[in-house]
Amino acid sequence: MSTTQERADTQKRFTLAKKGFDEADDRFASSRWFVSVLDKIFPDHWSFMVGEIALDSLILLILTGVYLTFFFIPNSRDVVYAPTAGHVYAPLVGQHMSEAYQSVLNISFNVRFGLLMRQAHHWAALVFLAAVVFHLCRIFFTGAFRKPRETNWIIGLTLWMIVMLEGFTGYSLPDDLLSGTGIRVIYSVLEGIPFVGTWITYDLWGGRYPGTTFITRLFIVHEFIFPALIVGLLSAHLMILWRQKHTDFPGPGKTETNIRGSRVWPQYAMKAGGLAMIVSGVIFALAGLVQINPVWIYGPYTPYTVSTGSTPDWYVAWLDGAVRLWPHWEFRSFGHEIANPFFPGLLIPGVVFTLMYLWPVVDRKIYNDHERHNLLDRPRDKPFRTGVGVAAIVFFADLTLATGDDILSNNLHIPFERILEVLQYGVVIGPVAGFLIAYKACKALQRTDAHPIRHPVGGMIVRAADGSYHTLGEAHAPHAGEDGYVEVEKAEEHAEEHAEGR
Amino acid sequence: MTILDDPGQGGSREPGAGGGAEPGDQPTEGLAFDPRHFGIAPDEPWPDDVPRGQDDSHWRFEHDPGRARIAELRIAACWIVSLLASIGIAVVYVTGAQNQASGILWALAFLGIGVGLILWARDLLPGHDVIASRGRHDASDEGNRWAVAESFARGLEPIARRPFLFKLLGAVGGVFGIAALFPLASLGPRPDRNLYHTKWGRGVRAVTEDGRPLRPSDLPVNGILTVFPEGGMEDALAPTLLINLGDAPFEIPPSRTNWNIGGIVAFSKICTHAGCPAGLYNVQTHQLVCPCHQSTFDVLEDCKPVFGPAPRSLPQLPITTDTEGYIVARSDYTQPVGPGFWNRG
């Protein structure tokens, strides 16, 4: 037992902290909650940090974005570029442009650190979406969406959809030639919606394309509506994560009911803070050194000009790729038609997102698994799910490549017609091939790398209750197949039967 | 990993829990529960899968003062880099904020702090590798589940007892919900005949980007030019391509034999696929390519789509010359220009 003196010393060490938390507890009765927060455990695995990279870049996006709003003028009023002070971008002097575009030129050339903040904002968006997509893949392939985390899967997918749109609205605001082209395509996609397309576009644009109100409205959507949705949904996402606690990979000492990792205070707090700073540092290095979206080179938007190599930012490229690959079909009868861009622009993403929203239900049926899970799957242990995930990645990759068909054609000296044809076949055959290859690879990996814990194979030495030693593969091996490998499938079937029997 | 297989070994260095005593069993004096919280409520039995006697107060260089000192210096160095970079940011701002220099300095300021924080946590701070209980957040017990069901049902029953009011509320809510959408209708006008028409019309001159009218002689053979209806530059569906095909044999339906001026034909520049300007002209093949999605149109064959996603030909604009010899439209386009829409028909 400790002495009275030691106890007194200990209490003295904590006096200052106690005073601080007393102030809070007097008001919120918060001490127990603070203990659970400070002593919370987060599991340690590098892939769990990727969602955090998304969060960090989002914070950077908000900060740089707010800064940019102080200078950006969301107005499509026609002006002639003639800055009176500061740096002038000579090639555009005397040209007609919208006030919005001119204000972006001013941010880039006349505001100190303006270009840096603009480029940091754009780079942060690219990093953000990359982190979001990686995070989504990690969740899918490890089965982290399973009960009890289906709600966060749905919130996460919704967030992904909104942040894609947020990115699109963001790079559309400068009203340069590239972004105007993107808006024109979106207008066409929306206009093609059966029954209500023209009503929707007339309401959003305040009349027929291009109108004079759209940049102003887009600004409200980009600065207020989407950010409010993102922050709201993300708060729910994180609160649910906090409540349910993070999943973890199986490993020594880990069970479904415990959690192994680092304390929030001070380990995790310091590391997470450090990661946020490093993510910011990398984004600012990119912002300083790697040019992005040089709108002054593209020039102001007009409805009658466009440049080759017009591609959207990478995270919406798959949508543009779908629009390129969809054949020249549209459906006309009884005086009505369903326009061509509607199918690849809205129907395909609609189907893709519906399937993804439903996946937790599908997965539950496939594996007949209604249990709660806190421990993750290894992708190889669920070959079907992994195959579906790989098929989806191939699908998205094919569409993303399609959006660069003219650039590929130019660099590879292959006619773009051939590239598009190959990618049209690829978008159908590729996912099937991807599924089969991934499925086979998982099965092979299962055999070559049977779980040392769950399905031990020969070579592992164990000590028996009587104190004797023997090699697991010899005396007490589970059913080994003809080739000497453990039949993982059989073992899994056995486990399932066992579960059902219970 | 500092889980101790035998809780008696090593034990905890926390006062009040030494000598093989188990944390959780015996709270430190004056505290409500164990200060090193393992997600286990005070009234809960200690779970089997949370090892007893975990000690998370260790840190990496605890027993190596030399390396701890080096780690400290390393962290300090990181932060001094940040400090210098921050001063650099001020200097660069004053001298004009050169972009590359700014980016490097901002990056260093962030990276120095970040790397230092992570090294501090890794080398000098405790709290690694703890196993705790997930606690009771997974699911509540049956008693609580019945309690919530009962609380809710107790309120619902008297509501359900008056089905008329209940259903009326639903109906009113639905109707009001629709009524509340009407402000959205003010966002834009009803879709109107603008969908089907452009600013072209009988006798409207074709002018260039800078408003100059054109004579057929202004366009050399194989020349191509974007023209607009005079006074209608802002009409995004009106941009039209004048192409001089010269002697090249081009096919045009018999009903349109007088829509061209010699070899000069006029077709809408707005792609029938997604509305981009289809302006890349290959003089050898007389094909127009839309740079957005590579729809390809054969000008010699009435601008029929020959490749890509465009479902329809580019509409032709009937042209002639007026009394002064300038190129004018004979009429507006005879079909809607640009991408399809529901009522296009």
Side-chain angles (χ1 to χ4, degrees):
Chain A
M1 277 311 288
S2 52
T3 65
T4 316
Q5 183 56 41
E6 274 174 355
R7 226 175 295 145
D9 287 348
T10 311
Q11 302 248 345
K12 214 168 161 187
R13 271 162 59 208
F14 300 145
T15 307
L16 195 64
K18 181 165 181 299
K19 271 185 186 154
F21 284 105
D22 275 351
E23 294 298 320
D25 198 273
D26 284 346
R27 288 158 182 85
F28 309 112
S30 49
S31 291
R32 277 191 76 156
W33 183 75
F34 273 125
V35 169
S36 74
V37 170
L38 294 171
D39 281 349
K40 195 177 173 63
I41 306 289
F42 266 104
D44 295 313
H45 191 271
W46 66 269
S47 70
F48 303 161
M49 293 295 104
V50 180
E52 213 162 285
I53 292 175
L55 178 66
D56 299 336
S57 35
L58 177 65
I59 293 168
L60 205 58
L61 276 165
I62 292 172
L63 294 176
T64 52
V66 167
Y67 184 79
L68 294 175
T69 60
F70 295 144
F71 303 97
F72 179 69
I73 303 169
N75 197 331
S76 49
R77 196 166 61 88
D78 184 62
V79 293
V80 174
Y81 182 60
T84 48
H87 298 280
V88 175
Y89 185 64
L92 288 176
V93 169
Q95 281 211 33
H96 282 268
M97 57 183 60
S98 67
E99 216 176 350
Y101 181 73
Q102 191 187 36
S103 71
V104 176
L105 294 180
N106 280 336
I107 292 170
S108 307
F109 296 120
N110 282 339
V111 177
R112 288 188 186 189
F113 289 151
L115 179 61
L116 188 71
M117 292 298 167
R118 233 197 91 222
Q119 298 207 127
H121 192 68
H122 204 130
W123 270 115
L126 299 196
V127 171
F128 180 42
L129 264 298
V132 165
V133 168
F134 185 95
H135 179 65
L136 175 74
C137 290
R138 201 267 298 167
I139 300 290
F140 180 85
F141 284 108
T142 60
F145 55 82
R146 291 174 301 171
K147 192 176 176 182
R149 293 180 177 78
E150 306 97 322
T151 321
N152 250 3
W153 170 255
I154 286 166
I155 294 175
L157 281 178
T158 312
L159 271 169
W160 181 34
M161 196 155 51
I162 296 173
V163 298
M164 273 195 286
L165 292 172
E166 173 71 347
F168 174 80
T169 55
Y171 77 71
S172 294
L173 277 174
D175 204 24
D176 58 295
L177 186 54
L178 181 62
S179 72
T181 303
I183 294 174
R184 183 64 180 95
V185 175
I186 285 292
Y187 182 91
S188 305
V189 169
L190 295 176
E191 194 185 22
I193 299 173
F195 302 105
V196 293
T198 50
W199 288 87
I200 289 174
T201 49
Y202 267 56
D203 273 352
L204 288 178
W205 270 261
R208 202 183 75 179
Y209 184 83
T212 53
T213 59
F214 191 65
I215 293 290
T216 314
R217 290 182 178 181
L218 200 65
F219 182 70
I220 307 292
V221 171
H222 182 76
E223 314 296 308
F224 177 68
I225 299 176
F226 284 160
L229 286 172
I230 290 168
V231 170
L233 285 169
L234 186 67
S235 304
H237 201 64
L238 295 178
M239 282 160 76
I240 291 170
L241 160 75
W242 190 276
R243 172 84 179 162
Q244 293 182 329
K245 294 195 169 77
H246 205 286
T247 52
D248 199 0
F249 288 104
K254 296 176 187 175
T255 69
E256 287 286 353
T257 50
N258 73 9
I259 185 163
R260 176 176 180 176
S262 301
R263 296 251 190 236
V264 160
W265 184 251
Q267 269 301 319
Y268 198 78
M270 291 297 213
K271 280 186 179 164
L275 181 63
M277 292 289 131
I278 289 174
V279 169
S280 306
V282 169
I283 287 171
F284 267 88
L286 287 166
L289 301 175
V290 190
Q291 184 183 64
I292 189 161
N293 203 24
V295 291
W296 53 90
I297 293 175
Y298 306 152
Y301 176 68
T302 72
Y304 52 91
T305 41
V306 66
S307 164
T308 50
S310 292
T311 54
D313 276 4
W314 76 268
Y315 46 85
V316 278
W318 65 281
L319 291 168
D320 189 60
V323 171
R324 289 178 196 229
L325 290 189
W326 183 258
H328 56 276
W329 303 334
E330 64 182 13
F331 297 91
R332 262 164 273 170
S333 57
F334 304 112
H336 292 292
E337 72 175 36
I338 306 176
N340 178 291
F342 166 73
F343 297 96
L346 276 177
L347 198 65
I348 288 178
V351 169
V352 166
F353 267 96
T354 306
L355 288 176
M356 287 198 289
Y357 275 119
L358 290 177
W359 183 260
V361 181
V362 176
D363 195 86
R364 223 161 32 216
K365 288 252 186 299
I366 291 170
Y367 293 108
N368 190 25
D369 180 357
H370 300 267
E371 297 292 311
R372 287 196 301 267
H373 294 279
N374 291 320
L375 289 180
L376 297 168
D377 284 328
R378 289 216 300 176
R380 68 187 59 171
D381 294 333
K382 293 287 191 292
F384 187 84
R385 181 198 295 149
T386 304
V388 170
V390 170
I393 289 176
V394 173
F395 175 77
F396 283 115
D398 189 279
L399 294 181
T400 304
L401 273 180
T403 204
D405 61 350
D406 46 348
I407 296 165
L408 287 173
S409 163
N410 214 18
N411 292 334
L412 302 177
H413 305 287
I414 302 170
F416 63 78
E417 289 94 336
R418 298 295 85 74
I419 291 181
L420 280 173
E421 278 165 8
V422 168
L423 291 173
Q424 276 175 332
Y425 285 111
V427 81
V428 180
I429 298 167
V432 177
F435 174 86
L436 292 174
I437 292 168
Y439 190 89
K440 289 281 172 200
C442 287
K443 289 286 185 185
L445 280 168
Q446 280 180 5
R447 274 183 229 109
T448 54
D449 178 63
H451 278 283
I453 302 298
R454 281 164 55 199
H455 308 292
V457 287
M460 182 175 276
I461 300 191
V462 293
R463 188 180 172 192
D466 58 5
S468 66
Y469 291 91
H470 58 82
T471 308
L472 243 185
E474 290 165 3
H476 292 271
H479 299 293
E482 289 168 355
D483 50 2
Y485 294 124
V486 176
E487 293 282 347
V488 174
E489 288 158 67
K490 272 186 192 155
E492 277 189 348
E493 278 168 25
H494 179 72
E496 274 170 22
E497 281 163 20
H498 182 70
E500 281 165 22
R502 201 170 43 153
Chain B
M1 184 68 193
T2 50
I3 295 181
L4 309 167
D5 292 325
D6 176 1
Q9 255 175 29
S12 167
R13 304 187 317 146
E14 207 63 43
E22 292 154 349
D25 288 351
Q26 191 182 9
T28 307
E29 192 119 356
L31 300 182
F33 50 98
D34 192 280
R36 279 166 302 111
H37 191 53
F38 292 94
I40 304 161
D43 55 338
E44 219 177 328
W46 196 270
D48 292 338
D49 56 3
V50 178
R52 295 172 185 250
Q54 292 184 70
D55 186 358
D56 62 324
S57 62
H58 295 292
W59 41 280
R60 191 175 180 209
F61 296 141
E62 193 177 355
H63 304 296
D64 192 344
R67 294 183 72 187
R69 182 79 191 136
I70 291 168
E72 198 177 350
L73 289 173
R74 199 161 47 197
I75 296 161
C78 287
W79 291 344
I80 286 171
V81 167
S82 280
L83 182 75
L84 296 176
S86 304
I87 296 166
I89 289 171
V91 173
V92 163
Y93 181 84
V94 172
T95 55
Q98 200 275 341
N99 196 57
Q100 281 83 355
S102 311
I104 291 169
L105 289 169
W106 277 84
L108 286 177
F110 276 124
L111 289 171
I113 297 174
V115 173
L117 279 174
I118 286 178
L119 289 177
W120 199 5
R122 189 190 70 173
D123 295 342
L124 302 176
L125 292 175
H128 294 282
D129 203 12
V130 181
I131 294 184
S133 170
R134 282 185 180 268
R136 291 167 175 173
H137 292 313
D138 246 17
S140 307
D141 56 32
E142 277 296 293
N144 280 317
R145 291 172 182 220
W146 279 114
V148 66
E150 201 188 314
S151 290
F152 183 68
R154 232 184 7 246
L156 185 69
E157 272 170 1
I159 292 174
R161 221 172 285 146
R162 302 196 188 280
F164 169 69
L165 283 182
F166 191 64
K167 284 173 189 164
L168 184 64
L169 180 66
V172 170
V175 174
F176 179 57
I178 292 165
L181 289 177
F182 269 81
L184 289 179
S186 300
L187 285 174
R190 293 166 64 97
D192 51 15
R193 56 186 294 280
N194 269 335
L195 286 170
Y196 306 92
H197 295 283
T198 68
K199 298 271 185 191
W200 290 105
R202 189 179 172 77
V204 174
R205 275 181 181 165
V207 298
T208 58
E209 199 177 351
D210 41 17
R212 208 161 37 83
L214 290 161
R215 289 196 170 86
S217 55
D218 292 335
L219 196 64
V221 171
N222 287 333
I224 179 169
L225 194 64
T226 305
V227 292
F228 308 86
E230 194 167 26
M233 274 289 287
E234 77 287 354
D235 184 349
L237 287 183
T240 298
L241 287 171
L242 282 182
I243 304 169
N244 190 343
L245 293 171
D247 299 331
F250 57 95
E251 285 176 23
I252 273 178
S255 60
R256 300 192 216 153
T257 45
N258 59 351
W259 283 24
N260 49 304
I261 308 168
I264 298 180
V265 288
F267 285 97
S268 167
K269 195 182 184 181
I270 307 304
C271 185
T272 54
H273 172 230
C276 292
L280 291 180
Y281 184 53
N282 185 334
V283 176
Q284 262 88 45
T285 59
H286 298 290
Q287 285 183 340
L288 280 170
V289 178
C290 177
C292 281
H293 306 106
Q294 283 74 48
S295 292
T296 309
F297 304 90
D298 189 347
V299 182
L300 296 182
E301 280 194 70
D302 192 25
C303 274
K304 245 191 243 156
V306 289
F307 182 81
R312 275 172 284 112
S313 304
L314 295 172
Q316 190 183 2
L317 182 73
I319 49 169
T320 183
T321 48
D322 64 8
T323 49
E324 289 174 65
Y326 290 115
I327 298 172
V328 293
R330 283 178 176 273
S331 73
D332 192 4
Y333 284 99
T334 55
Q335 55 167 304
V337 165
F341 50 92
W342 178 247
N343 290 318
R344 194 179 168 280

